[in-house]
Each structure stands twice: as C-alpha cells, then as structure tokens.
Amino acid sequence: IGPNAGPISGESMANLATQALNNLQVISQALESGELQRASTILNALHPAEVATLLESVPYSQRSYIWNTLDPDDLGEILLLVGEEVRSGLIKNMNQDEMLSATEGLELDDLADLLADLPEAVALSALSSMSIRDRQRVESVLSFDEESAGGLMNTDTVTVRKEVTIDVVLRYLRARDELPAHTDNLFVVDQNDHYIGSLPLTSVLTSDPSHVVLDLMEDSIDPLLHSLSNKEVAMRFEALDLVTAPVIDEDNKLIGRITIDDVVDVIREEGEHSVMSMAGLTEEEDLFAPVTQSTRRRALWLGVNMATAFLAAWVISLFQSTLEELIVLAVLVPVVASMGGIAGSQTLTLVIRGIALDQIGPANSKILIWRELAIGALNGVVWAVIVGLIAYLWFGNLQLGWVMGLAMIANLVCAGLAGVLIPIALRRYGIDPALAGGVVLTTITDVVGIFAFLGLATVLLI
C-alpha cells in the first residue's frame, strides 16, 4: 500500500494491477469484519489515484463509507481521477461546503474540469472566492470546448522576452520561488503576448548568462491552436515526444500550455472509448451502477441487435421451402455467416484504428478497398476449399461442398469490402465508427452470407 506523499513510480503495470487488487481485498475484508479504524488508516495511506481505482471497484454500500472516511484535502483530486459516472454519484451525496472544500488547492486546469461537474451555485461560489486573476484564467478555460486544446490546457505559463539575457531570466525564475509542474520550456512572447518560440530550461541552466534569449530559443515546433481536438493534441505529443506544448488563439496570442499528464489521460480515455463503444457503452460506465440504470442503458443496444437478428431471420424465411427440402442447409448456415463476421471484424478493427490515427483519407482509401477485396478473395478461396471439403466428407454431397465454398468466397469478399466502407461512410456522416460499425457490419455479413448460401443452394441443389 503506497504512501500518500506522491505518485507511484518505478513499478511495472503488472505490479500496479496486483497492488490495486490487494488494496481492494484488504479494504473489503476490513469493512466486512467491522475493522473500521483499520480500514480508515489504510485508506488514508493510499495515493489519491489508488483510492480512485478502489472507489470504482467496490459496490455502492462500501463506496459511501470509503468516501466519508477520506482526508478532505484529497477529495478534489480523487473526484478528478474517478470516472464521470462515479464522480456524479459521489457529488450527489456531498453538501455545498464539502464541494467547495474539494475545489481548494487544485491546479487551475483541474479546477476548471471539476467546476464543470458541480452544481451551478457551487461553481459560482468557488469562482467568487478566487482572486480576479485566477478567476479569469479558470473562466477562460471553461469557455473552450472540453474536448479541445483550449479545454485541456492550463494557463500557468512562464513567459520571457526575446531581447533579455539568460542572466535576467535566471534572476526572474529565482524571484518566482517555484515553477509550475512539468515545466521544461519557457515560452518566448512579445509585448502583446504573441507567441514567438520556446526556451528550453536546459539551455537556461547550461548557457553563458550573457547570451540573449533570441539566440537560444527554438521555433521549430508549431504551437497548438486552441480549437485543435484532444485526439490531435495527443497525436502531436506522441509524434514529437513533447512534455509540454504552448496553446495559442487565432491571433497567435499565448493563452496556455498543455502538459503530458493531461495528454496521458486523453490517450487512456481514447483507448477505453474504443473498447467500450463496440459494446454500445461509454468509457465512463460505472461497474457497480444501479441495476435498473445499467439495464436501461444496455437495453437500447440489445434492441438494435435484436432488430438486425430479425432481419437475418427474415432472409432465412425467404428460403423456407429450400430448407424444408434439404434440412442439412440449416446446419451449415451459421458457418458461412460466422466466417464472414470474423473476417469483416478484422478489417473493420484495422480501418477504425487507421481512421483514429488519421492514416486513412481520400488519397489512399481506394488502394485500401482493393487491398481488402484481394485479401477477402484469397481467404475466401482458401477457406472455401476447406469448408467445401468438410461439407462433402460430412454429408457425402459434392454439390453441397461447391455451394458452401462459393458462398464462403462471396461472403468473405463482401466482408472485406464492408469492413472498409462502413467506417469511412460513418465518419463522413459524423457517426462514431467504433460505436455503430460492428452492428452494421454484422448485419451485412449475416444477410449476405445467408442469402448467398441459401440462394445458391436453391439454384444448384433443389
């Protein structure tokens, strides 16, 4: 169990996961056995990030006790670390004084994130208690879309002028007493705060004090426009190995900076979104949300899938007479449909990833379509031979083997084509491919596979 003095470092992800499970087991046992004082001592020795993981891992009955046991000074940071749905539930059980207390001591960008989730009266009260300068900074962050660079940024920048010497910069830094977290660069601006470049701290510390900032600053990395999406920000940080990056407005004025810790959060959220959206859920889903609430949320997605299943059933009904004459076809229908679904999912996953990384556009989409068609055709031929042979050996019907093989080729080719076109089309119409792509693809591969198999059987076997 880690101390509350600072973030966990130097451990592998496997060790962190094991530690989280150990924390869960120890706290659960202490609460179940009535050792409340022991549970309280353990909880308040944990880092806020560990507490946040623990809160998301326990049912409501234990969550409430844990929350009321925590050090009030850590509540704000913990609220920022838990998922949105868990955070909402915790805030509902807090009074106004507790909410205001939770806002104290937070970095301005973190405070802006928390204020957006608090009741309006509490948010206004928190803003009114701040200095005019800090209030203006927070209001500036709140004015931007939370999914943009402006909403992600912090306003705690350290700026210098290009004409001053390094000696002046050093004296200025000493006068500040401390620097904002993750400061690796000072930003160079003119008298109107227009961004010019950045000055690495390493240059400040290792250069001759008589050198002028202009001679040492870097201007090779472009600043981030405030309207840039979070995903684009994360890609920029990854591509350029950034720790911090300046954020500017349309007039090239420096308005803030983005730090690597916030970008890591964006990357994690993007990964969770990709996984959860494929099941029709959000990345903020509470593992222990009330049963009725989770039931309602999942019912919608189940209803969509039921509609697609009935569509496939309707296609089968069109060939009812064929099935009545050759009942063995009903045994083999799932094989064709399933193979198409898996092949399509492989392509769909690959293309969704390419779209997320901005690797797919008009310049290469046609090449990708032909490539997936070729892969589908080649896989179709290979597996057509295999399933056709199996069908022949199983049922002793050579024509049935041919029908099975031809249907397999048709469905795998269609699956490859659909796996490329569906996410591209969904993105064009502003629909998240990860959310809707799987349902659409499954519907297409099921319908095409069933129609091809039973249609060919009607023509060639009946």
Side-chain angles (χ1 to χ4, degrees):
I1 296 175
N4 194 26
I8 299 172
S9 61
E11 294 183 20
S12 68
M13 288 301 294
N15 288 337
L16 289 175
T18 301
Q19 184 64 58
L21 290 175
N22 288 339
N23 292 339
L24 175 61
Q25 183 175 359
V26 169
I27 293 297
S28 296
Q29 288 176 346
L31 292 177
E32 289 171 2
S33 62
E35 299 177 86
L36 302 185
Q37 184 57 49
R38 176 170 174 257
S40 176
T41 302
I42 295 172
L43 284 169
N44 285 290
L46 297 176
H47 185 270
E50 294 176 299
V51 177
T53 300
L54 185 63
L55 284 169
E56 293 179 330
S57 306
V58 297
Y60 268 51
S61 57
Q62 294 183 359
R63 186 179 295 171
S64 177
Y65 173 79
I66 291 173
W67 182 250
N68 293 327
T69 304
L70 297 171
D71 185 343
D73 292 338
D74 293 332
L75 297 186
E77 186 175 352
I78 294 170
L79 282 173
L80 289 166
L81 292 169
V82 296
E84 186 175 322
E85 194 169 310
V86 176
R87 183 188 311 136
S88 176
L90 293 172
I91 289 175
K92 284 180 181 178
N93 295 321
M94 297 173 68
N95 59 44
Q96 184 166 330
D97 290 338
E98 290 173 330
M99 294 181 198
L100 288 173
S101 177
T103 64
E104 297 174 0
L106 294 176
E107 297 289 339
L108 293 182
D109 59 334
D110 291 335
L111 177 59
D113 291 338
L114 182 56
L115 288 179
D117 291 328
L118 296 178
E120 185 177 356
V122 177
L124 291 174
S125 180
L127 288 170
S128 64
S129 66
M130 300 169 62
S131 67
I132 295 177
R133 184 182 181 190
D134 284 347
R135 182 164 65 248
Q136 289 175 339
R137 287 181 171 182
V138 172
E139 289 174 343
S140 172
V141 175
L142 288 172
S143 67
F144 296 106
D145 181 354
E146 64 178 356
E147 298 298 325
S148 69
L152 190 64
M153 72 177 184
N154 198 328
T155 56
D156 60 352
T157 58
V158 181
T159 60
V160 295
R161 300 287 176 81
K162 64 180 181 180
E163 62 271 10
V164 302
T165 64
I166 295 301
D167 182 55
V168 172
V169 173
L170 286 169
R171 283 189 278 117
Y172 166 62
L173 294 179
R174 293 189 191 103
R176 287 180 59 98
D177 291 333
E178 63 179 354
L179 294 177
H182 305 293
T183 298
D184 64 331
N185 284 283
L186 310 180
F187 299 128
V188 184
V189 298
D190 62 16
Q191 63 271 20
N192 295 315
D193 287 330
H194 291 117
Y195 177 78
I196 300 174
S198 60
L199 177 65
L201 274 182
T202 53
S203 297
V204 174
L205 296 173
T206 59
S207 299
D208 190 313
S210 63
H211 284 166
V212 177
V213 168
L214 179 63
D215 298 330
L216 299 175
M217 75 175 194
E218 299 177 353
D219 57 6
S220 57
I221 297 178
D222 294 330
L224 307 176
L225 188 62
H226 69 83
S227 58
L228 207 64
S229 71
N230 283 356
K231 187 181 77 171
E232 293 172 309
V233 170
M235 291 176 64
R236 186 80 64 88
F237 267 72
E238 180 186 11
L240 302 177
D241 292 328
L242 300 177
V243 175
T244 62
V247 181
I248 59 171
D249 63 13
E250 292 87 349
D251 299 322
N252 196 44
K253 279 191 174 183
L254 181 70
I255 57 175
R257 69 180 182 128
I258 294 175
T259 55
I260 186 63
D261 57 324
D262 292 319
V263 175
V264 169
D265 291 338
V266 171
I267 294 172
R268 176 181 56 81
E269 289 168 3
E270 286 288 330
E272 291 178 354
H273 172 74
S274 298
V275 173
M276 299 293 284
S277 61
M278 290 184 178
L281 303 174
T282 69
E283 61 272 26
E284 302 296 344
E285 184 84 9
D286 183 359
L287 188 63
F288 291 98
V291 172
T292 54
Q293 179 180 324
S294 295
T295 301
R296 285 196 305 269
R297 183 179 292 123
R298 300 184 193 186
L300 174 61
W301 203 243
L302 290 171
V304 172
N305 280 273
M306 183 185 69
T308 63
F310 271 109
L311 178 60
W314 174 75
V315 173
I316 293 176
S317 71
L318 298 178
F319 300 95
Q320 187 171 351
S321 59
T322 302
L323 289 169
E324 290 175 351
E325 287 199 39
L326 198 58
I327 194 64
V328 70
L329 296 176
V331 177
L332 298 175
V333 162
V335 177
V336 179
S338 175
M339 289 292 287
I342 294 298
S345 295
Q346 292 175 334
T347 303
L348 182 73
T349 302
L350 185 67
V351 174
I352 289 176
R353 176 181 177 274
I355 290 175
L357 297 176
D358 288 333
Q359 295 175 339
I360 297 175
N364 60 4
S365 56
K366 290 184 180 179
I367 298 174
L368 186 60
I369 290 172
W370 283 109
R371 177 182 180 276
E372 291 302 323
L373 279 174
I375 293 173
L378 185 58
N379 262 327
V381 170
V382 171
W383 289 104
V385 172
I386 294 173
V387 300
L389 182 60
I390 291 173
Y392 170 68
L393 294 175
W394 189 355
F395 299 103
N397 189 327
L398 183 59
Q399 285 183 300
L400 179 60
W402 275 104
V403 168
M404 189 82 171
L406 291 173
M408 186 68 69
I409 294 173
N411 203 20
L412 290 188
V413 169
C414 176
L417 182 62
V420 176
L421 294 181
I422 288 172
I424 292 176
L426 290 174
R427 181 179 66 165
R428 182 172 298 176
Y429 289 102
I431 303 173
D432 185 358
L435 179 62
V439 174
V440 178
L441 175 71
T442 301
T443 302
I444 291 176
T445 55
D446 283 354
V447 169
V448 170
I450 293 168
F451 187 84
F453 182 49
L454 297 182
L456 286 169
T458 302
V459 173
L460 299 178
L461 300 179
I462 303 302

